[in-house]
Amino acid sequence: MRKYSLMILTPLLILSTETIADVGFAGGFWINYSYDENSYDTNLGDQALIFYLDKKEDKTSPWHYSAELRLGPGGFSDPDNNTTDSDYVLHKAWVSYDFSEAHKLIIGKSQLPFAWKTANFWPGDMFLAAYGDQMDVGLKYQGNFSNTSIQIAYYPRDDWRSTSTDSTDDNRHWGSRQTYRKLNTLVGDFQWHISNSHTLGVSAQTAELEEFITGNKQTDGEHQAMTAYYLGNFESWGLKLSYIDGERQLPNAYFTANNLPKEIKNTRYNAELSYQMGDWTFLIDATFAKSDTLGGLDSTVSAWAPGVRYNYGPGWVYLEYLNQDAWFDRDMRINKGDFAAWYLTLDYYW
């Protein structure tokens, strides 16, 4: 047993001794003001402190790491279903090893390689819900081959604890402590870089669902999703497009007890257009969705988020608007809604 313990500890000791002098500490905060057009409610808050721990740029060592800790109600976490049961959460925490300049292995909590996420800071991922910013715990390989790149990852769980279901930015879309959570996610992403300005990509993921209804914590249910997407840059212009097809087979005990359909299916169409002018960025995110679930909505729903942000040096100021006529729940079902709000956000980093 001692031999195997030394085999495990040796790379960690090498990592700590090689990199302890190269630690890069940083921090920041953000605060948001919002105005709800329907209720006329205003809110100044949703503040958060952010702390970063990153290895400084060093091409002589193959080891790298990155961590981000958020504290406060604006940390985009769900205290009822996250690891800490509070408003502080690790958004990411990983260690990587470079086999070469083109091949890397990442271990820890990192982003799933699945299409792209929206640029809008505060309105969120809208109808990319559950797929825009997945942060799960596991292993990820990244490889580059001339004009193509591949990422393959396996995530045994979506958060640190055995009952937490929160992925931070992308929370409230993967069950709950009282229903189910996602396990054993296998995901792959392939990109073809046609030129410096054009990239085509496809991603696919599959996972199991662990139910919490019976108290047995047994695996009962599945999840699958695929996407085809495009990334383009035209001098000051940027364009992102994606098509997502998602399907979820809910655990038997859960859908039976709540009179839900066993299979949840929907398709989504997403676009982002941006324009860079000096320190100013103008952009609009638009997402559309159509339910393919038995008894689901029979109309196409939409969400829009135009906005502008200004880089003032140590941070950004954002002014954004969100308007959507539907929302996605924890089971991936599309629900009718009517929401419109303005957001003014300030962040600062040191």
Side-chain angles (χ1 to χ4, degrees):
M1 177 63 73
R2 183 179 180 184
K3 177 181 178 181
Y4 292 110
S5 299
L6 289 173
M7 290 174 63
I8 295 172
L9 288 173
T10 297
L12 296 179
L13 291 173
I14 293 173
L15 173 63
S16 61
T17 56
E18 284 187 354
T19 63
I20 192 168
D22 299 322
V23 175
F25 295 100
F29 71 86
W30 58 61
I31 189 168
N32 173 263
Y33 171 83
S34 63
Y35 169 71
D36 189 318
E37 286 190 349
N38 296 325
S39 65
Y40 306 110
D41 290 337
T42 61
N43 178 62
L44 178 61
D46 292 323
Q47 67 279 2
L49 281 173
I50 315 97
F51 296 96
Y52 301 94
L53 177 65
D54 296 280
K55 183 182 178 182
K56 296 179 181 178
E57 186 66 26
D58 179 12
K59 294 185 178 181
T60 62
S61 171
W63 292 100
H64 305 276
Y65 53 83
S66 181
E68 178 182 340
L69 174 66
R70 298 178 180 178
L71 299 88
F76 300 104
S77 189
D78 179 10
D80 292 334
N81 295 284
N82 68 11
T83 300
T84 64
D85 298 323
S86 185
D87 285 327
Y88 65 91
V89 65
L90 271 174
H91 177 243
K92 65 175 179 177
W94 53 259
V95 174
S96 70
Y97 181 82
D98 295 340
F99 296 99
S100 67
E101 290 187 2
H103 303 279
K104 173 184 293 190
L105 180 66
I106 298 173
I107 304 174
K109 188 173 185 180
S110 65
Q111 184 168 0
L112 267 72
F114 192 81
W116 48 268
K117 61 179 181 178
T118 58
N120 286 70
F121 177 77
W122 205 266
D125 53 9
M126 298 183 292
F127 295 165
L128 290 182
Y131 303 125
D133 195 20
Q134 290 176 270
M135 303 291 290
D136 289 2
V137 181
L139 307 173
K140 179 168 60 176
Y141 160 77
Q142 296 177 339
N144 295 296
F145 308 86
S146 63
N147 63 338
T148 62
S149 58
I150 296 175
Q151 297 186 76
I152 301 173
Y154 170 68
Y155 299 91
R157 55 179 60 190
D158 61 358
D159 204 5
W160 304 103
R161 279 172 59 177
S162 62
T163 58
S164 54
T165 65
D166 180 61
S167 292
T168 316
D169 287 5
D170 202 33
N171 58 27
R172 298 179 176 88
H173 292 128
W174 291 107
S176 68
R177 272 206 180 98
Q178 290 71 43
T179 58
Y180 61 88
R181 70 166 181 161
K182 175 164 58 75
L183 291 179
N184 299 323
T185 301
L186 181 63
V187 57
D189 176 75
F190 173 83
Q191 290 187 350
W192 175 32
H193 308 292
I194 303 172
S195 69
N196 291 333
S197 301
H198 305 281
T199 296
L200 293 177
V202 292
S203 308
Q205 59 176 285
T206 181
E208 296 178 318
L209 302 180
E210 181 184 50
E211 62 90 6
F212 295 146
I213 303 296
T214 64
N216 297 325
K217 293 184 64 179
Q218 59 185 354
T219 301
D220 178 21
E222 297 178 351
H223 143 73
Q224 301 89 33
M226 65 79 59
T227 179
Y229 61 95
Y230 166 79
L231 306 173
N233 291 288
F234 312 88
E235 295 182 352
S236 298
W237 292 91
L239 178 64
K240 299 178 183 179
L241 303 171
S242 69
Y243 163 86
I244 298 176
D245 183 77
E247 181 176 340
R248 192 175 299 186
Q249 292 86 40
L250 299 176
N252 183 72
Y254 175 61
F255 78 77
T256 300
N258 293 275
N259 194 29
L260 298 172
K262 177 178 176 57
E263 292 186 336
I264 311 296
K265 302 179 181 180
N266 52 62
T267 54
R268 315 177 200 191
Y269 309 88
N270 318 288
E272 179 180 284
L273 179 65
S274 63
Y275 179 74
Q276 188 74 36
M277 187 175 66
D279 294 329
W280 295 86
T281 303
F282 303 88
L283 57 90
I284 180 169
D285 281 291
T287 59
F288 306 86
K290 179 70 170 63
S291 174
D292 302 310
T293 304
L294 183 64
L297 294 178
D298 58 0
S299 60
T300 300
V301 296
S302 63
W304 303 79
V308 57
R309 67 171 178 252
Y310 173 69
N311 183 352
Y312 68 92
W316 287 263
V317 178
Y318 304 76
L319 176 63
E320 299 167 306
Y321 177 71
L322 173 62
N323 189 304
Q324 60 186 56
D325 61 3
W327 57 281
F328 280 77
D329 63 18
R330 293 181 182 272
D331 301 325
M332 206 176 74
R333 291 181 299 164
I334 302 175
N335 300 268
K336 267 294 186 183
D338 180 17
F339 182 79
W342 288 88
Y343 300 90
L344 178 63
T345 307
L346 170 70
D347 60 28
Y348 177 87
Y349 301 96
W350 62 85

